[in-house]
Amino acid sequence: MELLDKLNWRYATKAMNGEKVPQEKIDAILEAASLAPTSSGLQPFEILVITNPELKKKIRAIAWDQSVVTDCSHLLVFAAWDTYTEDRINKVFDHTNEVRGFKNEGFENYRQKLLGHYPQREVAENFNHAARQAYIAFSQAITAAAFEGVDSTPMEGFDEAALDEILNLREKGLKSCVILPLGYRDTDNDWLAGLAKVRKPKEDLITVLD
C-alpha cells in the first residue's frame, strides 16, 4: 500500500518553493524513467534536465507564465525522436548486442522486421508513436517522484515549437512533447494544495470481462 499512499499524496503542484531536490532523488527519478517499457525497447526519446535559471525563465515565457517552471528545482523536458531511421534503430540493436555479449537470431530477425517497416512510415506517424513512448517514461517519472516525496507538475501547456527552438531540439532530430517540473510544494500559495483528490468512480473507469 505504500505506493498507493504516495500516489494519493501526489497532485499536480501549482506552486513550488524553490527548494533544491537532492541529486540522489533526481537520479532515482531519471533511472525510473529509463527503466520504463517502450515499444520494441527503442526508447525513442531523450530527457533534458534543466537547472539553469535563465533558461528556465525563457521557457516560462512560452509556457503560459506558469511559476512552477522557474520555481522548480529541476525541469525535465521529454523530447521524442522526430522520426525512426535505420541508423537510430541499428544503434539500439547494436548496443543491446554489445551489452549482452552475443547475437541472437530471433533478435536479428526482429531488427530486420523493424527496419523494413518503421523508416518507411510517414514522419508524423513515427513522431506520434515515439511521443507515446516518451509519455510512458514521463508517467513513470511522476510515479518515481511521488515515491521519493518529490512534487511534480505534468505540463503540456507550452509552445512546443518555441521550446524546440530554445533548446535547439530540431537540430538533434527531436521534438518536445511534455515537460515535468520537479520540486517541493508551496502550500501557502498553491490553490490546489489540501483539496481532495477526485477521480472517476471505478465503475465508470474499469470494465471487467470474465
Side-chain angles (χ1 to χ4, degrees):
M1 291 298 291
E2 182 181 3
L3 177 59
L4 293 182
D5 290 340
K6 296 287 189 179
L7 292 178
N8 272 299
W9 168 84
R10 187 213 70 80
Y11 73 105
T13 308
K14 302 304 181 186
M16 294 187 179
N17 62 16
E19 182 181 346
K20 289 296 181 184
V21 176
Q23 188 59 46
E24 59 267 22
K25 290 183 178 290
I26 297 297
D27 291 342
I29 294 166
L30 293 171
E31 180 68 12
S34 174
L35 291 171
T38 58
S39 179
S40 300
L42 292 177
Q43 293 182 288
F45 55 86
E46 295 184 20
I47 306 170
L48 288 82
V49 183
I50 299 170
T51 58
N52 182 281
E54 293 304 315
L55 192 52
K56 288 196 289 185
K57 286 181 182 178
K58 291 181 180 180
I59 297 173
R60 175 173 174 170
I62 54 94
W64 297 0
D65 195 34
Q66 296 179 78
S67 64
V68 289
V69 174
T70 49
D71 295 341
C72 69
S73 172
H74 294 67
L75 177 65
L76 306 188
V77 176
F78 289 76
W81 290 355
D82 54 5
T83 192
Y84 289 100
T85 66
E86 290 187 1
D87 286 344
R88 282 173 159 172
I89 293 172
N90 280 326
K91 184 176 180 180
V92 173
F93 276 78
D94 290 344
H95 175 66
T96 300
N97 288 337
E98 181 181 353
V99 171
R100 291 176 175 170
F102 65 91
K103 288 187 177 181
N104 176 277
E105 181 179 357
F107 190 60
E108 289 303 314
N109 289 339
Y110 190 68
R111 181 208 294 251
Q112 296 306 316
K113 181 178 180 179
L114 294 187
L115 290 173
H117 180 58
Y118 278 21
Q120 288 72 40
R121 298 189 306 192
E122 294 291 333
V123 169
E125 181 182 1
N126 276 340
F127 169 70
N128 288 333
H129 183 271
R132 290 196 296 272
Q133 312 315 306
Y135 267 86
I136 298 172
F138 171 72
S139 179
Q140 196 141 303
I142 295 169
T143 299
F147 192 79
E148 294 291 335
V150 175
D151 287 300
S152 64
T153 310
M155 288 178 57
E156 292 181 311
F158 62 95
D159 184 328
E160 294 96 337
L163 182 56
D164 293 350
E165 183 175 352
I166 290 171
L167 300 177
N168 298 315
L169 295 181
R170 299 298 175 92
E171 297 175 6
K172 301 174 183 178
L174 300 169
K175 295 171 65 176
S176 59
C177 49
V178 68
I179 64 179
L180 186 67
L182 298 172
Y184 295 107
R185 63 190 67 177
D186 179 359
T187 54
D188 291 337
N189 294 296
D190 190 341
W191 64 269
L192 193 54
L195 296 183
K197 183 185 290 289
V198 180
R199 292 294 185 271
K200 293 167 64 174
K202 293 297 192 298
E203 59 269 21
D204 293 340
L205 179 67
I206 300 168
T207 299
V208 178
L209 304 175
D210 291 327

